[in-house]
Amino acid sequence: MASLTGASISMTPLKLRASSSKMSTLRSVSLPMNGQSFTSLRLQRGASRFRVSCAAAKPETLGKVCDIVRKQLALAPDTAVNGDSKFVALGADSLDTVEIVMGLEEEFGISVEEETAQSIITVQDAADLIENLIEKKA
């Protein structure tokens, strides 16, 4: 079985010219790796891009990120926060997100560039970024 660790693929739909000169849009993709293919991925109606992410973060890193997010957003202890949680869905605005990133930088001893910080959408995105930055530091 093929394995993919710490990778992220993002694609926007491609406009393809059909033989009848009509424009069509790529709505699915198959990703081959080591002679095997992942199941074809389909773009949901109304979505503007594919996003495939293979979680790389350790469970303890993800747990710390969840705790920091919960604290920074002053969420109730029973509020579900996991890797799939989107900051916006948890009630975070842009200032909250900056404060979360600052908390992560302090906790993990890392520095996150502003451009990179803007690409963090989910708790898993943050945990994966932390793991990557720690790995680069080592």
Side-chain angles (χ1 to χ4, degrees):
M1 176 175 274
S3 67
L4 185 62
T5 304
S8 180
I9 300 168
S10 183
M11 301 176 181
T12 55
L14 301 174
K15 297 288 184 182
L16 303 174
R17 188 168 298 280
S19 60
S20 64
S21 75
K22 293 182 180 178
M23 295 298 280
S24 64
T25 303
L26 177 66
R27 291 250 176 245
S28 66
V29 65
S30 179
L31 304 170
M33 187 176 84
N34 296 335
Q36 297 184 16
S37 273
F38 291 101
T39 305
S40 290
L41 305 169
R42 298 198 61 80
L43 188 62
Q44 293 179 346
R45 172 168 254 152
S48 62
R49 67 183 204 180
F50 287 102
R51 182 170 181 177
V52 178
S53 183
C54 298
K58 298 174 189 168
E60 51 278 2
T61 302
L62 183 59
K64 284 183 181 181
V65 173
C66 288
D67 291 343
I68 290 168
V69 168
R70 193 175 276 112
K71 179 182 174 186
Q72 291 292 334
L73 297 177
L75 298 174
D78 62 338
T79 302
V81 178
N82 58 46
D84 294 332
S85 299
K86 293 183 179 183
F87 293 143
V88 172
L90 294 172
D93 60 19
S94 59
L95 180 58
D96 292 323
T97 304
V98 168
E99 290 176 354
I100 290 169
V101 170
M102 289 171 53
L104 297 172
E105 288 176 328
E106 185 177 323
E107 174 69 26
F108 292 97
I110 58 171
S111 179
V112 179
E113 294 181 24
E114 184 178 340
E115 184 176 297
T116 304
Q118 291 175 356
S119 69
I120 300 171
I121 297 171
T122 66
V123 172
Q124 186 69 55
D125 291 341
D128 291 345
L129 175 63
I130 289 164
E131 291 286 332
N132 289 335
L133 291 172
I134 290 172
E135 188 177 301
K136 285 180 184 177
K137 237 176 116 171

